[in-house]
Amino acid sequence: MVTRQGRRAPVRVRRQRSAGDVLAGIGALVLLAALMAGVPFALLTIFGSPLPDHVPSASDLTHKVGPGSLIAILVVLVWLAWIQLAACVAVEVYAGIRGVGVPARVPLAGGTQSLVHRLVVAALLLFTATTSIMPALSGGLAQRPPVVQMQPQAAEFHQVPEAPERPAAAPAAENLAAHPAEKAATTKIYRVHPPEGRHHESLWEIAEKCLGEGRRYNEVYSLNKGHIQPDGTRLTIASLIRPGWILEMPADAKHAQVIPTKDLHDYFKHGHAVPDAPARTNPAPPAAPKPTPPAQQTPPAQQAPPTQAPSTQAPPTHQAPPTHQPPTQEAPPTQPPASQAPPAVPRPSATPTPAPQHTEPKAPASEKPASEKPAPEKPETAQPSAHDGGTERPSDETGRTFDVSWPHGIAAASLLAAGLLGALGRRRRTQMWHRAFGHMIVRPEGAAVEAERALRIGADEDAARLLDLGLRHMSKSMAAGGRALPTIYGVHLGHGSLDLWIAPADRNPPAPWQAFDDGQVWRLGADALPGLEASDLVDVLAPYPGLVSIGTNDNGRILVDLEAAHGLIALRGPEDTRRAVLSAVALELATNRWSDHMRITLVGFDAELGEGLAEIAPDRVRSVPTLEDALPELEGRSEEVRQALAASGVDSVLTGRCRGVFGEAWMPHYLIMADQPPERDADRLVALARTGTRMAAGYVVPGDVQGATWTWDVDAAGRLQAGVLGFDVEAQLVGDDDYRGVFELFRTAARLEPVELPGLAGGEEPPTAQESSVEVRLLGPIEVDAPGPMDESRRELCTELLVYLAAHPEGVHPTVLSGAIWPRGTSAGVRDASVARVSDWLGRDARGRPNLYHDDRGRIRLGSEVRVDLNVFRWLVWRSAAEPASETAYMAYALDLVRGPLLADRPRGRYAWLADHDLEFEAPARVIDVAHRLVVLRLEEGDPRGAVSAARAGLRLAPEDEGLWRDLLRATHATGDVAQVQVAVDELRGRVGRDPLFDGLQPETEALVEELLPDWHPVGSR
């Protein structure tokens, strides 16, 4: 194969060195000779032999120490330093002569060995034949290219990437075979391997492996001398090469990678080729199927015809009236006139249809358009929208995808993950309650960490709040207007909006809801969330607690109301997939925030799932072995609801929840079974479930159960078809391995033993705001003040990368950085490009050094002029302990840095690495401890207003810590302002209603409030 070097003209090699090289080499030789020979000669001449002239005895350790003894000790230390210097010289000379690459490290000789390295290299330049030996022995003179000088890039930062997962030699060879005329446009390269143990590659070894002769290393050196490598440095000394460097090889090299010549510059600069790919655009979603004309569909009289699902865009202004009006819960369906036509509205999924009361007829296959039969896909390949929480397939900037290596089932379940994180937050709040001063709570490990990462990536807290508050606000508005709540068969949670499919249609929803599709759809925009959060919804019962996710389609997440079935829901399909669907339903029902005081009975699940779920939500979940054990409670609950309906005078469970009368009577009870019920118990269950009206109950059972109102089918690929409802979605699945990690996470959160906070090293004072060139603030909303430019489209990723480095002041290896910031995988090129952007963003310090650099161990670190508020906080706390006289002042300075909750306003799906880091465990504990200590000190000093400020500062970061609330109440009471005490108590009451971490006040807090305000009444919780 003819390569690039074959076309090069002969080049004369410079045989003489410059005067500067000669003088530098002579000076290095003189200095080395003075150090190696002059120092011991002087010591022997002045002080004599360091060896003692007699055997030491015990009396030598007890005699009086005089000036002579001190001089002897100093002489011994000088001899030890000289021995270390001699060892460094020997190691460096050996490495330089043999060309072993990076020399071995002499213990405790960092600066000394670095100095000796420079001296030895300069001295060896006088003797090495690098610039004079001709490669005639290998016939390589005619193949040597001229030295290519590349302009240094001062503003760019590049890190050595790992070898690509798939070598490029094979595709390049195939390309050459197909296009012989292009053979001359290729060359060969070799990537220097990372060290194994203490062994580093050298040019000699590379030449021996690839060229068959180690003495040909000069050819490799000459081809690559002066080229800027991916880490920004150059090859200038034959004995010094670094892992990850790209070396151009002669034409006859073996074990080398063949690349196009045009890509050589990219390999030198980035370590890989940079494709000229066009900008990627998101593929348009498949065209929605058109509704079937009424003439082609003749549903039975008892079946409601398909109702159009809402689109993500607003429907057309002018629409024909709907063909059919969905039935109400209390009235049987009626046959509409045949002349009415359904509205032609685009839809995101298959058509949802309100269910009949007792039957589930199916249209013939010929009546269903082919476009409504999408091919089933595996759940791992589904790509739901970012808003609905389905995890998209990770990809790098070249479009390459990677497999998900954590519990992807819970990562894809956005609402389920949000509920689990809320429950985990409450559990950790209890841990913090039992935490001792100077300690933090237990951090998860192993599978629990992976589960929490998946939850953090998938959770969509904003969507969960929008669903919860939107429904409660609608219920409150309907009750104020004297109107009944509509029946909801399905919910579509898409990007930026929440849609309810209701029956019968109603064109007059309460604000801020809007009506579409002639009143069949009520829509709430995500921009309404701030207004909903400001509303007083604490005492409003959840109107639709039976809503649960069944899966996702191209446009978002689909939920159905279990209570709307008015009977049994049967799930058919392979046992493993069916169980994963039922597990997901149980987990979401047990932890969601849009339900109040519900009861879930699990039947037939193994002890692992049943007991584990009962540990997560003991107030909601009960597990029994057989249906016979569960039926008495279910039947008794059904009778209680009937009596409540008769006694209250309301027409339905929805009306009772809306108006808040007999509140406890409308609390739901749901049954989820693992195995198909026995025939005798099934008949009893069907008779209990088929009431013909909403009974605050829902029943989900596996198998083909005769008499079921709704029958759903799920296949082995995870595709779920919701029968008469018409939904065709990627099912929400939670497998056994997924929930095992979740249960381990909650068991860790139940451990109450304290863990001592890591010690504070202190050290030099961090730079002041005026001295720093970059400032990173973590104690509150994340803020970065940096001098360089930053593309807004990449700011979130680069900010997370910077925060990760700020949380690791000791530095981070590039491979570790990749796993943390891109947990689903990425290429080395994408990682290095992102690091380079952050480096450009941070710029350089006052001395011209980059604020982001690689240390001598290859770790990425922040410079000394990068000020991180958390590091300043730690230093001030350490200083307060070191100077007790100024303890109050230092603690006050530290609390002034706190602006809000730790890392507030971070985007959804990022910072999953926090699950495996002490930051969220250490920082709140330190801030709480400092705030509490400062409150105590200021109250002792007679400064109650200062104590109030200290408590407020701590609550900015840890608003759920009741210890700080008690400090605030005591400090406020010490001011003598009773009105302000009432204000603080009212603020605490409001937070209990709004914050999901508050599921009730601690008894100690309630006792304190009752003491300060005798007329206060305890706050209810959901």
Side-chain angles (χ1 to χ4, degrees):
M1 179 180 296
V2 181
T3 63
R4 184 174 81 102
Q5 291 85 359
R7 301 183 286 108
R8 294 284 183 175
V11 177
R12 183 178 300 278
V13 180
R14 179 168 61 89
R15 295 174 175 271
Q16 295 183 353
R17 300 189 180 280
S18 66
D21 293 338
V22 174
L23 290 177
I26 294 174
L29 275 177
V30 172
L31 185 55
L32 283 173
L35 291 173
M36 295 302 297
V39 171
F41 178 78
L43 290 174
L44 290 173
T45 302
I46 300 175
F47 301 103
S49 173
L51 299 177
D53 53 2
H54 64 279
V55 178
S57 62
S59 61
D60 293 334
L61 300 176
T62 59
H63 75 278
K64 185 177 180 180
V65 177
S69 300
L70 293 177
I71 293 175
I73 293 174
L74 292 176
V75 170
V76 170
L77 293 178
V78 174
W79 273 110
L80 292 176
W82 179 84
I83 293 173
Q84 185 186 60
L85 175 70
C88 292
V89 172
V91 167
E92 293 294 336
V93 171
Y94 173 81
I97 295 175
R98 292 296 304 274
V100 298
V102 179
R105 307 299 298 177
V106 177
L108 304 178
T112 303
Q113 187 168 4
S114 177
L115 173 63
V116 170
H117 174 77
R118 291 175 173 81
L119 295 175
V120 170
V121 168
L124 288 179
L125 285 175
L126 290 175
F127 305 103
T128 181
T130 301
T131 63
S132 58
I133 290 182
M134 309 291 287
L137 295 176
S138 61
L141 178 60
Q143 298 179 356
R144 185 176 326 178
V147 177
V148 179
Q149 295 294 337
M150 300 179 65
Q151 296 299 324
Q153 302 175 7
E156 292 188 353
F157 177 94
H158 297 290
Q159 168 59 12
V160 179
E162 290 88 350
E165 297 177 4
R166 186 167 60 96
E174 295 173 4
N175 184 54
L176 290 174
H179 304 281
E182 298 181 5
K183 289 184 178 181
T186 62
T187 187
K188 293 183 179 181
I189 63 170
Y190 181 87
R191 190 186 304 271
V192 181
H193 294 165
E196 296 181 2
R198 298 183 63 86
H199 174 75
H200 297 72
E201 281 197 312
S202 65
L203 288 182
W204 182 284
E205 293 175 346
I206 293 172
E208 200 170 48
K209 177 169 62 175
C210 298
L211 303 177
E213 175 57 61
R215 287 175 293 184
R216 292 183 61 186
Y217 79 93
N218 294 288
E219 299 177 49
V220 183
Y221 173 77
S222 299
L223 284 172
N224 296 276
K225 181 181 178 182
H227 281 301
I228 296 179
Q229 293 290 338
D231 60 358
T233 58
R234 301 171 186 261
L235 175 61
T236 57
I237 302 174
S239 62
L240 181 59
I241 59 175
R242 298 183 180 180
W245 275 9
I246 302 298
L247 302 178
E248 187 178 8
M249 303 296 292
D252 59 340
K254 299 178 181 179
H255 311 295
Q257 181 178 338
V258 180
I259 65 168
T261 302
K262 63 182 180 64
D263 292 341
L264 183 60
H265 176 73
D266 290 338
Y267 274 90
F268 276 130
K269 184 175 181 181
H270 303 292
H272 58 88
V274 179
D276 298 327
R280 296 178 57 85
T281 58
N282 293 328
K290 296 182 179 180
T292 306
Q296 299 178 8
Q297 286 186 336
T298 308
Q302 72 272 23
Q303 179 183 1
T307 302
Q308 298 301 324
S311 64
T312 56
Q313 303 294 329
T317 305
H318 302 287
Q319 299 176 358
T323 304
H324 301 281
Q325 199 69 277
T328 62
Q329 289 299 326
E330 286 73 26
T334 58
Q335 187 70 20
S339 59
Q340 293 179 331
V345 180
R347 56 188 176 177
S349 66
T351 305
T353 305
Q357 296 297 326
H358 305 291
T359 61
E360 189 192 359
K362 295 184 179 179
S366 60
E367 293 183 7
K368 189 172 184 179
S371 60
E372 294 187 20
K373 300 178 182 179
E377 299 174 2
K378 294 183 180 180
E380 293 85 354
T381 61
Q383 294 186 5
S385 66
H387 182 75
D388 72 8
T391 50
E392 300 179 2
R393 296 286 288 176
S395 62
D396 61 20
E397 294 179 356
T398 64
R400 184 175 56 147
T401 59
F402 302 85
D403 291 331
V404 178
S405 59
W406 64 79
H408 54 270
I410 54 178
S414 59
L415 299 180
L416 186 156
L420 285 171
L421 282 183
L424 181 65
R426 289 190 291 271
R427 188 68 56 86
R428 285 178 174 168
R429 175 173 172 263
T430 303
Q431 281 185 298
M432 291 291 288
W433 182 17
H434 291 84
R435 180 187 66 90
F437 189 89
H439 293 73
M440 62 183 186
I441 63 176
V442 182
R443 187 164 63 85
E445 298 176 350
V449 171
E450 297 304 317
E452 186 170 354
R453 282 179 179 169
L455 293 176
R456 288 172 179 265
I457 290 174
D460 192 346
E461 179 62 26
D462 288 343
R465 290 204 309 271
L466 182 67
L467 179 62
D468 176 34
L469 300 179
L471 294 177
R472 293 182 193 270
H473 187 273
M474 182 181 71
S475 177
K476 182 178 180 179
S477 300
M478 297 290 277
R483 302 169 59 190
L485 285 172
T487 297
I488 297 177
Y489 285 101
V491 172
H492 173 260
L493 189 58
H495 180 68
S497 67
L498 168 66
D499 292 351
L500 309 179
W501 288 302
I502 67 172
D506 188 342
R507 302 180 184 178
N508 186 29
W513 292 86
Q514 296 177 312
F516 292 98
D517 288 4
D518 219 13
Q520 296 181 66
V521 174
W522 286 5
R523 178 170 297 165
L524 179 66
D527 55 358
L529 184 58
L532 297 176
E533 292 176 330
S535 304
D536 185 12
L537 302 175
V538 176
D539 298 326
V540 179
L541 291 177
Y544 304 99
L547 286 172
V548 65
S549 303
I550 60 171
T552 58
N553 60 15
D554 291 336
N555 297 318
R557 181 163 298 276
I558 304 298
L559 298 89
V560 298
D561 188 358
L562 301 183
E563 296 180 4
H566 296 182
L568 217 59
I569 302 174
L571 178 65
R572 301 183 300 199
E575 182 178 357
D576 292 344
T577 312
R578 190 179 63 197
R579 178 184 174 87
V581 172
L582 296 173
S583 299
V585 169
L587 277 169
E588 186 170 302
L589 285 174
T591 57
N592 71 49
R593 59 176 293 163
W594 57 88
S595 302
D596 298 329
H597 308 294
M598 71 158 55
R599 188 70 170 166
I600 304 169
T601 298
L602 302 179
V603 177
F605 286 91
D606 54 30
E608 186 175 37
L609 178 63
E611 295 177 2
L613 199 52
E615 290 178 10
I616 292 177
D619 57 333
R620 290 191 178 187
V621 178
R622 174 193 176 215
S623 181
V624 297
T626 65
L627 179 58
E628 186 177 4
D629 298 324
L631 281 173
E633 182 182 3
L634 294 170
E635 291 170 340
R637 177 60 181 161
S638 178
E639 184 59 30
E640 290 177 2
V641 174
R642 292 182 187 277
Q643 294 176 4
L645 286 171
S648 63
V650 298
D651 57 352
S652 72
V653 169
L654 287 179
T655 304
R657 290 172 181 160
C658 180
R659 298 180 182 175
V661 295
F662 284 47
E664 291 294 330
W666 323 124
M667 298 301 103
H669 194 153
Y670 302 124
L671 171 74
I672 302 176
M673 296 190 62
D675 301 310
Q676 185 170 343
E679 184 176 353
R680 183 188 64 179
D681 293 337
D683 293 340
R684 185 177 170 188
L685 181 61
V686 169
L688 171 65
R690 297 184 64 173
T691 59
T693 185
R694 186 185 291 261
M695 291 297 295
Y699 310 88
V700 184
V701 298
D704 195 354
V705 180
Q706 187 174 4
T709 304
W710 293 349
T711 299
W712 299 343
D713 292 282
V714 62
D715 58 24
R719 195 80 186 178
L720 187 146
Q721 296 181 349
V724 72
L725 292 178
F727 296 121
D728 190 347
V729 297
E730 291 288 347
Q732 179 168 285
L733 306 173
V734 176
D736 295 352
D737 293 336
D738 293 350
Y739 64 66
R740 286 190 185 110
V742 172
F743 295 158
E744 183 61 32
L745 177 63
F746 275 82
R747 292 187 183 104
T748 302
R751 294 165 54 189
L752 300 180
E753 65 268 23
V755 177
E756 189 172 356
L757 284 168
L760 296 174
E764 296 183 1
E765 182 178 0
T768 64
Q770 294 75 24
E771 297 171 343
S772 63
S773 53
V774 176
E775 188 160 5
V776 182
R777 291 183 283 271
L778 311 180
L779 300 176
I782 302 173
E783 296 178 355
V784 179
D785 290 340
M790 174 50 60
D791 183 357
E792 288 300 322
S793 64
R794 304 180 187 274
R795 182 178 292 273
E796 287 185 357
L797 172 63
C798 292
T799 300
E800 182 183 3
L801 193 152
L802 177 57
V803 170
Y804 187 79
L805 294 175
H808 294 79
E810 71 283 359
V812 181
H813 191 276
T815 303
V816 178
L817 181 68
S818 293
I821 307 301
W822 294 273
R824 291 173 284 193
T826 192
S827 67
V830 171
R831 177 201 65 205
D832 295 339
S834 299
V835 174
R837 293 187 190 99
V838 176
S839 178
D840 294 341
W841 187 21
L842 301 186
R844 296 179 176 270
D845 62 14
R847 300 182 183 179
R849 300 171 302 183
N851 283 316
L852 185 67
Y853 69 98
H854 281 75
D855 62 14
D856 54 1
R857 295 182 298 171
R859 293 173 175 261
I860 306 174
R861 304 186 64 172
L862 297 178
S864 59
E865 289 189 9
V866 177
R867 173 183 166 94
V868 180
D869 60 351
L870 180 59
N871 295 339
V872 178
F873 183 93
R874 289 169 174 157
W875 186 87
L876 291 171
V877 174
W878 169 80
R879 198 66 183 169
S880 69
E883 297 184 21
S886 303
E887 182 180 11
T888 301
Y890 280 118
M891 287 187 170
Y893 295 151
L895 290 178
D896 287 342
L897 299 171
V898 179
R899 298 168 293 108
L902 182 71
L903 303 176
D905 299 336
R906 57 184 184 265
R908 176 194 164 203
R910 295 197 178 275
Y911 297 86
W913 51 269
L914 288 170
D916 195 26
H917 194 275
D918 284 340
L919 184 59
E920 282 193 324
F921 299 85
E922 176 201 355
R926 289 201 188 280
V927 171
I928 293 171
D929 286 351
V930 170
H932 175 72
R933 174 63 177 166
L934 188 56
V935 168
V936 172
L937 291 176
R938 285 182 167 170
L939 287 177
E940 291 177 352
E941 295 171 356
D943 182 13
R945 298 193 181 278
V948 170
S949 299
R952 289 285 185 187
L955 287 171
R956 286 198 295 267
L957 186 134
E960 73 282 356
D961 186 78
E962 289 191 37
L964 289 179
W965 280 103
R966 292 192 291 270
D967 287 338
L968 175 63
L969 293 174
R970 295 189 187 97
T972 306
H973 184 264
T975 64
D977 192 340
V978 179
Q980 287 301 313
V981 176
Q982 183 66 57
V983 169
V985 171
D986 291 341
E987 185 179 351
L988 178 58
R989 288 177 61 96
R991 183 166 292 278
V992 169
R994 295 190 307 270
D995 195 333
L997 296 183
F998 277 99
D999 53 355
L1001 294 178
Q1002 299 168 5
E1004 186 178 352
T1005 305
E1006 290 189 352
L1008 177 62
V1009 175
E1010 289 176 356
E1011 177 184 352
L1012 301 180
L1013 296 176
D1015 296 333
W1016 178 81
H1017 299 286
V1019 181
S1021 62
R1022 290 193 292 208

